[in-house]
Amino acid sequence: MYKAKAFAAASPTDALAGTLIPRRNAMETDVQIEILFCGVCHSDLHTARDEWHSIMPTTYPCVPGHEIIGRVTNIGAKVDKFKVGDVVGVGCLVDSDHSCPNCQHGFDQFCPDAVFTYNSVDKHGTAPVTYGGYSDSVVVEQNAVLRIPSNLDLAGAAPLLCAGITTYSPLKRNGVGPGKKVGIVGLGGLGHMGVKLAHAMGAHVVVFTTSPSKRDDALKLGADEVVLSTDENQMASHMNSFDMILDCVSAKHDLNSYINLLHRGGNMTLVGVPEKPAELNAFCLIYGNKSLSGSMIGGFAETQEMLDFCGKHSITADVEVIAIQQINEAYERMLKSQVKYRFSIDMASLKNG
Ligand code: NAP
Ligand code: ZN
């Protein structure tokens, strides 16, 4: 065991602050990684503040961060997939059993033994729960480590590990491509990746935003149209027209007005996880045989597939690089929907305290 530097929340109401955490020494199939960048996901904030208490209570101290890019500094004796010096990624999952039906079908995230990057029981017993990427290093089993295409900017590639896969997976599952009309609701970290990916897949992309100031950015990111969701006339002009709508919103909002925009048989997928439950009007779904579904990140193989897709299309997140000491201010700006469009922490800043 060794001590790593990290930023942690000590309670739901405490600001994140510098601390030392235990990390296990690399075992036979482990990869030790010096963390270079870590994206800031809204799930980090939900977890640090225990907003999902009823489903997934937070154990403190809580070290968030599951959009990790780093360099391999040490490998266990049986590691055959990576070597010291490789640039690698770690997303929301650090382990699974690789043998259950979910793992065998590529859905490692639903493995009964899945270990999430933070706030998940640490089966090695190094600490009560796993600690995430707001840290100078991490030790991860090699099967949970991803390859990063060499043409991608590292600060911008970090958010692919969660925001990228979380949007890529449902877009792909729903056959998004040429001839399809796709709505992306909420232009935040997930939403802006959804726009870039759906555009690269060849779909007609419509962004729904509550922020009029994001209109020009949405078009530059790849949207074909932008709808101010607070404007009833703009919403009505898209009635019954979408093949799919991907909802990336972090706070409670009306779902029914979006379901009404799907055409017959259309699908709305929720990836946003607001603290409070939504109200659903069954009429909106039954009229037109529409479906509402959810999607949670993606398995290891699909995450690698998404990274390779991003390498091929030169896609990274639009990031504002921050020092770890700015994390609490960054959370406040994220709550005000003021991030353009993902914070990426330069982990070298952790050396300063
Ligand atoms: P984010 O960067 O904060 O973006 C959320 C966006 O939602 C905002 O930029 C804003 O877009 C919109 N929004 C915020 N408050 C709103 C409100 N009251 N009414 C309507 N729209 C509002 O967050 P994120 O990191 O993209 O994460 C989004 C959600 O996905 C979070 O709940 C997160 O926990 C969840 N998540 C889920 C998964 C999964 O596997 N399913 C993975 C990662 C994250 P506009 O300014 O354009 O309106
Ligand atoms: Zn995330």
Side-chain angles (χ1 to χ4, degrees), residues 41 43 66-67 92 162 342:
C41 179
S43 304
H66 55 204
E67 295 183 336
C92 305
C162 174
R342 195 60 140 189

mmCIF file of all heavy atoms in Angstrom, residues 41 43 66-67 92 162 342, ligand 2:
data_model
loop_
_atom_site.group_PDB
_atom_site.id
_atom_site.type_symbol
_atom_site.label_atom_id
_atom_site.label_comp_id
_atom_site.label_asym_id
_atom_site.label_seq_id
_atom_site.Cartn_x
_atom_site.Cartn_y
_atom_site.Cartn_z
ATOM 1 N N CYS A 41 -17.421 15.278 -14.173
ATOM 2 C CA CYS A 41 -18.754 14.845 -14.574
ATOM 3 C C CYS A 41 -19.767 15.329 -13.538
ATOM 4 O O CYS A 41 -19.445 15.417 -12.347
ATOM 5 C CB CYS A 41 -18.764 13.316 -14.645
ATOM 6 S SG CYS A 41 -20.344 12.607 -15.108
ATOM 7 N N SER A 43 -22.005 13.643 -12.363
ATOM 8 C CA SER A 43 -22.161 12.540 -11.402
ATOM 9 C C SER A 43 -21.183 12.701 -10.232
ATOM 10 O O SER A 43 -21.475 12.250 -9.114
ATOM 11 C CB SER A 43 -21.910 11.194 -12.082
ATOM 12 O OG SER A 43 -22.758 11.029 -13.178
ATOM 13 N N HIS A 66 -14.125 9.998 -12.799
ATOM 14 C CA HIS A 66 -14.104 8.744 -13.563
ATOM 15 C C HIS A 66 -13.906 9.031 -15.053
ATOM 16 O O HIS A 66 -14.424 8.303 -15.894
ATOM 17 C CB HIS A 66 -15.332 7.876 -13.267
ATOM 18 C CG HIS A 66 -16.659 8.539 -13.485
ATOM 19 N ND1 HIS A 66 -17.803 8.119 -12.849
ATOM 20 C CD2 HIS A 66 -17.041 9.581 -14.265
ATOM 21 C CE1 HIS A 66 -18.826 8.866 -13.245
ATOM 22 N NE2 HIS A 66 -18.381 9.754 -14.111
ATOM 23 N N GLU A 67 -13.187 10.102 -15.326
ATOM 24 C CA GLU A 67 -12.810 10.400 -16.713
ATOM 25 C C GLU A 67 -11.296 10.611 -16.705
ATOM 26 O O GLU A 67 -10.798 11.724 -16.770
ATOM 27 C CB GLU A 67 -13.545 11.653 -17.213
ATOM 28 C CG GLU A 67 -15.043 11.453 -17.296
ATOM 29 C CD GLU A 67 -15.812 12.638 -17.866
ATOM 30 O OE1 GLU A 67 -15.287 13.772 -17.793
ATOM 31 O OE2 GLU A 67 -16.913 12.429 -18.383
ATOM 32 N N CYS A 92 -15.636 4.724 -15.867
ATOM 33 C CA CYS A 92 -16.457 4.602 -14.655
ATOM 34 C C CYS A 92 -16.320 3.258 -13.960
ATOM 35 O O CYS A 92 -16.790 3.089 -12.845
ATOM 36 C CB CYS A 92 -17.919 4.810 -15.008
ATOM 37 S SG CYS A 92 -18.219 6.358 -15.866
ATOM 38 N N CYS A 162 -16.368 8.999 -19.806
ATOM 39 C CA CYS A 162 -17.739 8.859 -19.298
ATOM 40 C C CYS A 162 -18.724 9.540 -20.247
ATOM 41 O O CYS A 162 -19.586 8.893 -20.810
ATOM 42 C CB CYS A 162 -17.891 9.398 -17.873
ATOM 43 S SG CYS A 162 -19.621 9.386 -17.337
ATOM 44 N N ARG A 342 -16.919 21.015 -20.761
ATOM 45 C CA ARG A 342 -16.509 20.084 -19.723
ATOM 46 C C ARG A 342 -15.262 20.650 -19.055
ATOM 47 O O ARG A 342 -14.348 21.114 -19.745
ATOM 48 C CB ARG A 342 -16.148 18.735 -20.365
ATOM 49 C CG ARG A 342 -16.034 17.556 -19.434
ATOM 50 C CD ARG A 342 -17.282 17.272 -18.691
ATOM 51 N NE ARG A 342 -17.615 15.861 -18.528
ATOM 52 C CZ ARG A 342 -18.781 15.469 -18.044
ATOM 53 N NH1 ARG A 342 -19.704 16.349 -17.666
ATOM 54 N NH2 ARG A 342 -19.042 14.188 -17.909
HETATM 55 ZN ZN ZN B 2 -19.667 10.546 -15.430
#
